Amino acid sequence: MKTKFMFILCTLSALALPVLTTSCSDNDDDNNSNVDTSGTPSTEAAVITTDDGTQLMIQSVLDRYGNGVVYTYNDRWLPLTAFCWGDYTYNFTYSSSKALAVVTFEDDDYGYDDEEFTFQFNTSGYISKMEVTEKFEDEYESGSGSGSCTYKYDADGHLTEVSGSYSGKEKYDGDTYNWTTSLTATLTWTNGDLTKFSRTEKDNEDGYTWTELDTTTFEYGSEENAYKQPTMAYSFAICELYGEESELMFTGLFGKGTAMLPASSNTKYTYSDDYDDDSSHTEQYSYTKNTDNTIKTEVAEDGNLYTYAYATMDTRSIMPEWTRSATGTTGNGHKSLMKKLRERRRAHARAK
């Protein structure tokens, strides 16, 4: 099953030298030994400077129903908030070298799910380490989890390696379960374009194990990505990671986008057990542009049309009125990454 966490494109808040934290699960340092965490956050990779000298940042990427992500920024173009998919808002604060983002999901029918992420940065200002903790409870289950993830980049500012792990304990239907999840991914870049994304996820619940391998390949046409903007095509591919990657990538905190605009992709899913069937999925992408050569619209993910809007320094901190009034709703049925993993484990356990 796919772990789509894409629908939490996040918001951040800033002081000076940031560490970024978001609510989710605790930390695990097994894969952090060779990762640079000595820097401070920078979104320079995503700041667009047009021919007339105007600076722009992506303010929102929304489909025709208003689903997507909306950002606000401080005067350093660091995210203050990210309102995601009509469901939840990330609020970011910054300290000397880290950033903290906190999200609480509450529903009278579900219960609560508190997540907190802490981010650290390399010397280029990109996120190089994420730590996460989560606590949750509803009428059927309760528990907690924690983990960490590291990120590496090439000299051109492209994300190339991801490695992370989570562990936790939960009570479900009167029983207690212990589980671990690990994930590794490689991103292959050729002439400034992402050509291959490979992800391996391994899960273990009280000795019952299964593995999922996803591989996405991209094809490109002749359309240049003038400002190397992150695109929904790129975002949906890496949403199979932990989620923050695809949500924060539009802010430049996970490096640069592709040199050309993706024209198509093919993803193959391979599973180690009989619960899920191996499958593949092909997407086609198309774009229109504004007069300044920024992306105006993108057709992606099963033919959905997404419209890009941009903030100037004067409008960077303004969130649309409809967004503010919608904050806290659960119209898109958001589920945290760990809840998705829990549901997947439950399904596998029932299929044993």
Side-chain angles (χ1 to χ4, degrees), residues 73-100:
Y73 302 91
N74 68 3
D75 59 3
R76 296 177 56 208
W77 284 123
L78 293 173
L80 292 171
T81 58
F83 180 63
C84 306
W85 298 85
D87 283 344
Y88 45 93
T89 299
Y90 283 72
N91 294 286
F92 291 84
T93 56
Y94 298 86
S95 62
S96 59
S97 62
K98 298 181 181 179
L100 169 69

PDB file of all heavy atoms in Angstrom, residues 73-100:
ATOM      1  N   TYR A  73       5.338  33.523   4.849  1.00  0.00           N
ATOM      2  CA  TYR A  73       6.782  33.618   5.049  1.00  0.00           C
ATOM      3  C   TYR A  73       7.131  34.824   5.924  1.00  0.00           C
ATOM      4  O   TYR A  73       6.362  35.785   6.006  1.00  0.00           O
ATOM      5  CB  TYR A  73       7.508  33.776   3.709  1.00  0.00           C
ATOM      6  CG  TYR A  73       7.259  32.665   2.725  1.00  0.00           C
ATOM      7  CD1 TYR A  73       6.212  32.751   1.806  1.00  0.00           C
ATOM      8  CD2 TYR A  73       8.065  31.541   2.695  1.00  0.00           C
ATOM      9  CE1 TYR A  73       5.984  31.738   0.879  1.00  0.00           C
ATOM     10  CE2 TYR A  73       7.849  30.517   1.783  1.00  0.00           C
ATOM     11  CZ  TYR A  73       6.805  30.625   0.880  1.00  0.00           C
ATOM     12  OH  TYR A  73       6.578  29.613  -0.027  1.00  0.00           O
ATOM     13  N   ASN A  74       8.341  34.763   6.513  1.00  0.00           N
ATOM     14  CA  ASN A  74       8.852  35.925   7.223  1.00  0.00           C
ATOM     15  C   ASN A  74       9.713  36.761   6.274  1.00  0.00           C
ATOM     16  O   ASN A  74       9.765  36.496   5.063  1.00  0.00           O
ATOM     17  CB  ASN A  74       9.613  35.512   8.481  1.00  0.00           C
ATOM     18  CG  ASN A  74      10.905  34.789   8.162  1.00  0.00           C
ATOM     19  OD1 ASN A  74      11.296  34.621   7.008  1.00  0.00           O
ATOM     20  ND2 ASN A  74      11.588  34.329   9.183  1.00  0.00           N
ATOM     21  N   ASP A  75      10.409  37.779   6.801  1.00  0.00           N
ATOM     22  CA  ASP A  75      11.159  38.670   5.919  1.00  0.00           C
ATOM     23  C   ASP A  75      12.452  38.058   5.408  1.00  0.00           C
ATOM     24  O   ASP A  75      13.174  38.687   4.619  1.00  0.00           O
ATOM     25  CB  ASP A  75      11.446  40.010   6.612  1.00  0.00           C
ATOM     26  CG  ASP A  75      12.234  39.852   7.906  1.00  0.00           C
ATOM     27  OD1 ASP A  75      12.616  38.707   8.243  1.00  0.00           O
ATOM     28  OD2 ASP A  75      12.460  40.868   8.584  1.00  0.00           O
ATOM     29  N   ARG A  76      12.759  36.820   5.803  1.00  0.00           N
ATOM     30  CA  ARG A  76      13.893  36.076   5.245  1.00  0.00           C
ATOM     31  C   ARG A  76      13.417  34.989   4.298  1.00  0.00           C
ATOM     32  O   ARG A  76      14.186  34.117   3.910  1.00  0.00           O
ATOM     33  CB  ARG A  76      14.716  35.460   6.375  1.00  0.00           C
ATOM     34  CG  ARG A  76      15.380  36.486   7.303  1.00  0.00           C
ATOM     35  CD  ARG A  76      16.106  35.782   8.440  1.00  0.00           C
ATOM     36  NE  ARG A  76      17.077  34.823   7.933  1.00  0.00           N
ATOM     37  CZ  ARG A  76      17.458  33.733   8.591  1.00  0.00           C
ATOM     38  NH1 ARG A  76      16.945  33.461   9.772  1.00  0.00           N
ATOM     39  NH2 ARG A  76      18.343  32.917   8.065  1.00  0.00           N
ATOM     40  N   TRP A  77      12.140  35.052   3.930  1.00  0.00           N
ATOM     41  CA  TRP A  77      11.514  34.048   3.073  1.00  0.00           C
ATOM     42  C   TRP A  77      11.544  32.654   3.712  1.00  0.00           C
ATOM     43  O   TRP A  77      11.525  31.652   3.005  1.00  0.00           O
ATOM     44  CB  TRP A  77      12.169  33.998   1.694  1.00  0.00           C
ATOM     45  CG  TRP A  77      11.798  35.113   0.776  1.00  0.00           C
ATOM     46  CD1 TRP A  77      12.646  35.982   0.182  1.00  0.00           C
ATOM     47  CD2 TRP A  77      10.487  35.476   0.316  1.00  0.00           C
ATOM     48  NE1 TRP A  77      11.961  36.881  -0.604  1.00  0.00           N
ATOM     49  CE2 TRP A  77      10.621  36.574  -0.544  1.00  0.00           C
ATOM     50  CE3 TRP A  77       9.201  34.970   0.561  1.00  0.00           C
ATOM     51  CZ2 TRP A  77       9.535  37.183  -1.170  1.00  0.00           C
ATOM     52  CZ3 TRP A  77       8.119  35.582  -0.058  1.00  0.00           C
ATOM     53  CH2 TRP A  77       8.298  36.671  -0.918  1.00  0.00           C
ATOM     54  N   LEU A  78      11.608  32.589   5.025  1.00  0.00           N
ATOM     55  CA  LEU A  78      11.457  31.304   5.714  1.00  0.00           C
ATOM     56  C   LEU A  78       9.984  31.098   6.014  1.00  0.00           C
ATOM     57  O   LEU A  78       9.281  32.041   6.406  1.00  0.00           O
ATOM     58  CB  LEU A  78      12.258  31.287   7.015  1.00  0.00           C
ATOM     59  CG  LEU A  78      13.779  31.322   6.852  1.00  0.00           C
ATOM     60  CD1 LEU A  78      14.438  31.487   8.213  1.00  0.00           C
ATOM     61  CD2 LEU A  78      14.275  30.066   6.163  1.00  0.00           C
ATOM     62  N   PRO A  79       9.479  29.888   5.842  1.00  0.00           N
ATOM     63  CA  PRO A  79       8.050  29.640   6.072  1.00  0.00           C
ATOM     64  C   PRO A  79       7.646  29.914   7.515  1.00  0.00           C
ATOM     65  O   PRO A  79       8.353  29.568   8.446  1.00  0.00           O
ATOM     66  CB  PRO A  79       7.884  28.155   5.743  1.00  0.00           C
ATOM     67  CG  PRO A  79       9.062  27.823   4.897  1.00  0.00           C
ATOM     68  CD  PRO A  79      10.181  28.692   5.373  1.00  0.00           C
ATOM     69  N   LEU A  80       6.504  30.543   7.660  1.00  0.00           N
ATOM     70  CA  LEU A  80       5.885  30.744   8.965  1.00  0.00           C
ATOM     71  C   LEU A  80       4.800  29.713   9.204  1.00  0.00           C
ATOM     72  O   LEU A  80       4.682  29.156  10.283  1.00  0.00           O
ATOM     73  CB  LEU A  80       5.277  32.145   9.058  1.00  0.00           C
ATOM     74  CG  LEU A  80       6.241  33.313   9.082  1.00  0.00           C
ATOM     75  CD1 LEU A  80       5.478  34.623   8.953  1.00  0.00           C
ATOM     76  CD2 LEU A  80       7.050  33.297  10.362  1.00  0.00           C
ATOM     77  N   THR A  81       3.971  29.505   8.178  1.00  0.00           N
ATOM     78  CA  THR A  81       2.888  28.525   8.285  1.00  0.00           C
ATOM     79  C   THR A  81       2.740  27.805   6.951  1.00  0.00           C
ATOM     80  O   THR A  81       3.144  28.309   5.901  1.00  0.00           O
ATOM     81  CB  THR A  81       1.543  29.191   8.618  1.00  0.00           C
ATOM     82  OG1 THR A  81       1.244  30.137   7.603  1.00  0.00           O
ATOM     83  CG2 THR A  81       1.577  29.883   9.972  1.00  0.00           C
ATOM     84  N   ALA A  82       2.150  26.625   7.028  1.00  0.00           N
ATOM     85  CA  ALA A  82       1.767  25.910   5.823  1.00  0.00           C
ATOM     86  C   ALA A  82       0.404  25.299   6.091  1.00  0.00           C
ATOM     87  O   ALA A  82       0.234  24.506   7.006  1.00  0.00           O
ATOM     88  CB  ALA A  82       2.785  24.841   5.483  1.00  0.00           C
ATOM     89  N   PHE A  83      -0.566  25.726   5.317  1.00  0.00           N
ATOM     90  CA  PHE A  83      -1.938  25.217   5.436  1.00  0.00           C
ATOM     91  C   PHE A  83      -2.110  24.163   4.354  1.00  0.00           C
ATOM     92  O   PHE A  83      -1.948  24.447   3.169  1.00  0.00           O
ATOM     93  CB  PHE A  83      -2.935  26.362   5.253  1.00  0.00           C
ATOM     94  CG  PHE A  83      -4.369  25.929   5.372  1.00  0.00           C
ATOM     95  CD1 PHE A  83      -4.853  25.404   6.557  1.00  0.00           C
ATOM     96  CD2 PHE A  83      -5.232  26.054   4.297  1.00  0.00           C
ATOM     97  CE1 PHE A  83      -6.177  25.017   6.672  1.00  0.00           C
ATOM     98  CE2 PHE A  83      -6.557  25.668   4.395  1.00  0.00           C
ATOM     99  CZ  PHE A  83      -7.030  25.153   5.591  1.00  0.00           C
ATOM    100  N   CYS A  84      -2.413  22.933   4.757  1.00  0.00           N
ATOM    101  CA  CYS A  84      -2.290  21.796   3.854  1.00  0.00           C
ATOM    102  C   CYS A  84      -3.611  21.091   3.609  1.00  0.00           C
ATOM    103  O   CYS A  84      -4.248  20.593   4.540  1.00  0.00           O
ATOM    104  CB  CYS A  84      -1.296  20.794   4.418  1.00  0.00           C
ATOM    105  SG  CYS A  84       0.297  21.529   4.809  1.00  0.00           S
ATOM    106  N   TRP A  85      -4.000  21.089   2.368  1.00  0.00           N
ATOM    107  CA  TRP A  85      -5.093  20.256   1.887  1.00  0.00           C
ATOM    108  C   TRP A  85      -6.384  20.445   2.666  1.00  0.00           C
ATOM    109  O   TRP A  85      -7.157  19.512   2.859  1.00  0.00           O
ATOM    110  CB  TRP A  85      -4.672  18.791   1.833  1.00  0.00           C
ATOM    111  CG  TRP A  85      -3.531  18.625   0.880  1.00  0.00           C
ATOM    112  CD1 TRP A  85      -2.209  18.794   1.167  1.00  0.00           C
ATOM    113  CD2 TRP A  85      -3.613  18.338  -0.513  1.00  0.00           C
ATOM    114  NE1 TRP A  85      -1.449  18.627   0.034  1.00  0.00           N
ATOM    115  CE2 TRP A  85      -2.296  18.336  -1.021  1.00  0.00           C
ATOM    116  CE3 TRP A  85      -4.668  18.058  -1.387  1.00  0.00           C
ATOM    117  CZ2 TRP A  85      -2.005  18.087  -2.357  1.00  0.00           C
ATOM    118  CZ3 TRP A  85      -4.371  17.815  -2.721  1.00  0.00           C
ATOM    119  CH2 TRP A  85      -3.060  17.835  -3.187  1.00  0.00           C
ATOM    120  N   GLY A  86      -6.625  21.676   3.140  1.00  0.00           N
ATOM    121  CA  GLY A  86      -7.878  21.991   3.808  1.00  0.00           C
ATOM    122  C   GLY A  86      -8.053  21.329   5.152  1.00  0.00           C
ATOM    123  O   GLY A  86      -9.137  21.364   5.733  1.00  0.00           O
ATOM    124  N   ASP A  87      -6.966  20.751   5.699  1.00  0.00           N
ATOM    125  CA  ASP A  87      -7.099  19.934   6.896  1.00  0.00           C
ATOM    126  C   ASP A  87      -6.337  20.446   8.108  1.00  0.00           C
ATOM    127  O   ASP A  87      -6.794  20.299   9.226  1.00  0.00           O
ATOM    128  CB  ASP A  87      -6.611  18.509   6.627  1.00  0.00           C
ATOM    129  CG  ASP A  87      -7.615  17.707   5.838  1.00  0.00           C
ATOM    130  OD1 ASP A  87      -8.773  18.142   5.774  1.00  0.00           O
ATOM    131  OD2 ASP A  87      -7.255  16.674   5.276  1.00  0.00           O
ATOM    132  N   TYR A  88      -5.143  20.969   7.920  1.00  0.00           N
ATOM    133  CA  TYR A  88      -4.291  21.213   9.078  1.00  0.00           C
ATOM    134  C   TYR A  88      -3.263  22.277   8.727  1.00  0.00           C
ATOM    135  O   TYR A  88      -2.952  22.505   7.564  1.00  0.00           O
ATOM    136  CB  TYR A  88      -3.563  19.932   9.498  1.00  0.00           C
ATOM    137  CG  TYR A  88      -2.997  19.215   8.318  1.00  0.00           C
ATOM    138  CD1 TYR A  88      -1.703  19.451   7.915  1.00  0.00           C
ATOM    139  CD2 TYR A  88      -3.785  18.350   7.569  1.00  0.00           C
ATOM    140  CE1 TYR A  88      -1.200  18.839   6.804  1.00  0.00           C
ATOM    141  CE2 TYR A  88      -3.292  17.738   6.450  1.00  0.00           C
ATOM    142  CZ  TYR A  88      -1.995  17.982   6.066  1.00  0.00           C
ATOM    143  OH  TYR A  88      -1.506  17.380   4.936  1.00  0.00           O
ATOM    144  N   THR A  89      -2.739  22.919   9.759  1.00  0.00           N
ATOM    145  CA  THR A  89      -1.746  23.975   9.588  1.00  0.00           C
ATOM    146  C   THR A  89      -0.494  23.644  10.380  1.00  0.00           C
ATOM    147  O   THR A  89      -0.569  23.278  11.545  1.00  0.00           O
ATOM    148  CB  THR A  89      -2.301  25.325  10.058  1.00  0.00           C
ATOM    149  OG1 THR A  89      -3.447  25.658   9.284  1.00  0.00           O
ATOM    150  CG2 THR A  89      -1.250  26.425   9.890  1.00  0.00           C
ATOM    151  N   TYR A  90       0.640  23.779   9.723  1.00  0.00           N
ATOM    152  CA  TYR A  90       1.925  23.695  10.397  1.00  0.00           C
ATOM    153  C   TYR A  90       2.336  25.108  10.814  1.00  0.00           C
ATOM    154  O   TYR A  90       2.329  26.020   9.993  1.00  0.00           O
ATOM    155  CB  TYR A  90       2.994  23.130   9.473  1.00  0.00           C
ATOM    156  CG  TYR A  90       2.935  21.644   9.274  1.00  0.00           C
ATOM    157  CD1 TYR A  90       1.921  21.056   8.520  1.00  0.00           C
ATOM    158  CD2 TYR A  90       3.899  20.819   9.836  1.00  0.00           C
ATOM    159  CE1 TYR A  90       1.864  19.698   8.336  1.00  0.00           C
ATOM    160  CE2 TYR A  90       3.855  19.450   9.657  1.00  0.00           C
ATOM    161  CZ  TYR A  90       2.834  18.891   8.899  1.00  0.00           C
ATOM    162  OH  TYR A  90       2.778  17.540   8.726  1.00  0.00           O
ATOM    163  N   ASN A  91       2.721  25.264  12.076  1.00  0.00           N
ATOM    164  CA  ASN A  91       3.220  26.545  12.583  1.00  0.00           C
ATOM    165  C   ASN A  91       4.671  26.363  13.000  1.00  0.00           C
ATOM    166  O   ASN A  91       4.970  25.514  13.836  1.00  0.00           O
ATOM    167  CB  ASN A  91       2.380  27.018  13.764  1.00  0.00           C
ATOM    168  CG  ASN A  91       0.961  27.343  13.342  1.00  0.00           C
ATOM    169  OD1 ASN A  91       0.715  28.353  12.716  1.00  0.00           O
ATOM    170  ND2 ASN A  91       0.025  26.464  13.681  1.00  0.00           N
ATOM    171  N   PHE A  92       5.555  27.173  12.421  1.00  0.00           N
ATOM    172  CA  PHE A  92       6.978  26.986  12.629  1.00  0.00           C
ATOM    173  C   PHE A  92       7.578  28.086  13.498  1.00  0.00           C
ATOM    174  O   PHE A  92       7.215  29.249  13.396  1.00  0.00           O
ATOM    175  CB  PHE A  92       7.708  26.972  11.290  1.00  0.00           C
ATOM    176  CG  PHE A  92       7.399  25.751  10.472  1.00  0.00           C
ATOM    177  CD1 PHE A  92       6.273  25.711   9.684  1.00  0.00           C
ATOM    178  CD2 PHE A  92       8.230  24.645  10.500  1.00  0.00           C
ATOM    179  CE1 PHE A  92       5.968  24.587   8.923  1.00  0.00           C
ATOM    180  CE2 PHE A  92       7.937  23.516   9.757  1.00  0.00           C
ATOM    181  CZ  PHE A  92       6.802  23.493   8.965  1.00  0.00           C
ATOM    182  N   THR A  93       8.494  27.673  14.342  1.00  0.00           N
ATOM    183  CA  THR A  93       9.316  28.604  15.109  1.00  0.00           C
ATOM    184  C   THR A  93      10.773  28.212  14.918  1.00  0.00           C
ATOM    185  O   THR A  93      11.082  27.054  14.631  1.00  0.00           O
ATOM    186  CB  THR A  93       8.961  28.588  16.603  1.00  0.00           C
ATOM    187  OG1 THR A  93       9.093  27.244  17.095  1.00  0.00           O
ATOM    188  CG2 THR A  93       7.533  29.066  16.832  1.00  0.00           C
ATOM    189  N   TYR A  94      11.658  29.182  15.101  1.00  0.00           N
ATOM    190  CA  TYR A  94      13.074  28.963  14.833  1.00  0.00           C
ATOM    191  C   TYR A  94      13.923  29.354  16.032  1.00  0.00           C
ATOM    192  O   TYR A  94      13.630  30.314  16.724  1.00  0.00           O
ATOM    193  CB  TYR A  94      13.513  29.773  13.609  1.00  0.00           C
ATOM    194  CG  TYR A  94      12.808  29.378  12.345  1.00  0.00           C
ATOM    195  CD1 TYR A  94      11.582  29.942  12.010  1.00  0.00           C
ATOM    196  CD2 TYR A  94      13.365  28.432  11.482  1.00  0.00           C
ATOM    197  CE1 TYR A  94      10.922  29.580  10.843  1.00  0.00           C
ATOM    198  CE2 TYR A  94      12.708  28.058  10.320  1.00  0.00           C
ATOM    199  CZ  TYR A  94      11.489  28.638  10.006  1.00  0.00           C
ATOM    200  OH  TYR A  94      10.833  28.264   8.864  1.00  0.00           O
ATOM    201  N   SER A  95      14.988  28.593  16.242  1.00  0.00           N
ATOM    202  CA  SER A  95      15.976  28.933  17.259  1.00  0.00           C
ATOM    203  C   SER A  95      17.320  29.083  16.563  1.00  0.00           C
ATOM    204  O   SER A  95      17.366  29.274  15.353  1.00  0.00           O
ATOM    205  CB  SER A  95      16.016  27.865  18.356  1.00  0.00           C
ATOM    206  OG  SER A  95      16.400  26.626  17.810  1.00  0.00           O
ATOM    207  N   SER A  96      18.409  28.925  17.275  1.00  0.00           N
ATOM    208  CA  SER A  96      19.724  29.260  16.724  1.00  0.00           C
ATOM    209  C   SER A  96      20.090  28.463  15.481  1.00  0.00           C
ATOM    210  O   SER A  96      20.618  29.009  14.529  1.00  0.00           O
ATOM    211  CB  SER A  96      20.797  29.052  17.787  1.00  0.00           C
ATOM    212  OG  SER A  96      20.785  27.715  18.227  1.00  0.00           O
ATOM    213  N   SER A  97      19.829  27.170  15.462  1.00  0.00           N
ATOM    214  CA  SER A  97      20.249  26.368  14.308  1.00  0.00           C
ATOM    215  C   SER A  97      19.222  25.302  13.952  1.00  0.00           C
ATOM    216  O   SER A  97      19.507  24.387  13.199  1.00  0.00           O
ATOM    217  CB  SER A  97      21.591  25.691  14.598  1.00  0.00           C
ATOM    218  OG  SER A  97      21.452  24.819  15.706  1.00  0.00           O
ATOM    219  N   LYS A  98      18.032  25.430  14.483  1.00  0.00           N
ATOM    220  CA  LYS A  98      16.996  24.435  14.238  1.00  0.00           C
ATOM    221  C   LYS A  98      15.657  25.125  14.002  1.00  0.00           C
ATOM    222  O   LYS A  98      15.518  26.324  14.202  1.00  0.00           O
ATOM    223  CB  LYS A  98      16.869  23.472  15.428  1.00  0.00           C
ATOM    224  CG  LYS A  98      18.116  22.662  15.712  1.00  0.00           C
ATOM    225  CD  LYS A  98      17.888  21.726  16.895  1.00  0.00           C
ATOM    226  CE  LYS A  98      19.131  20.919  17.208  1.00  0.00           C
ATOM    227  NZ  LYS A  98      18.938  20.014  18.377  1.00  0.00           N
ATOM    228  N   ALA A  99      14.686  24.321  13.564  1.00  0.00           N
ATOM    229  CA  ALA A  99      13.337  24.842  13.394  1.00  0.00           C
ATOM    230  C   ALA A  99      12.353  23.828  13.947  1.00  0.00           C
ATOM    231  O   ALA A  99      12.564  22.627  13.868  1.00  0.00           O
ATOM    232  CB  ALA A  99      13.051  25.116  11.922  1.00  0.00           C
ATOM    233  N   LEU A 100      11.289  24.325  14.530  1.00  0.00           N
ATOM    234  CA  LEU A 100      10.283  23.482  15.156  1.00  0.00           C
ATOM    235  C   LEU A 100       8.933  23.757  14.510  1.00  0.00           C
ATOM    236  O   LEU A 100       8.555  24.907  14.303  1.00  0.00           O
ATOM    237  CB  LEU A 100      10.204  23.785  16.655  1.00  0.00           C
ATOM    238  CG  LEU A 100       9.011  23.176  17.394  1.00  0.00           C
ATOM    239  CD1 LEU A 100       9.136  21.663  17.478  1.00  0.00           C
ATOM    240  CD2 LEU A 100       8.878  23.775  18.781  1.00  0.00           C
TER     241      LEU A 100
END
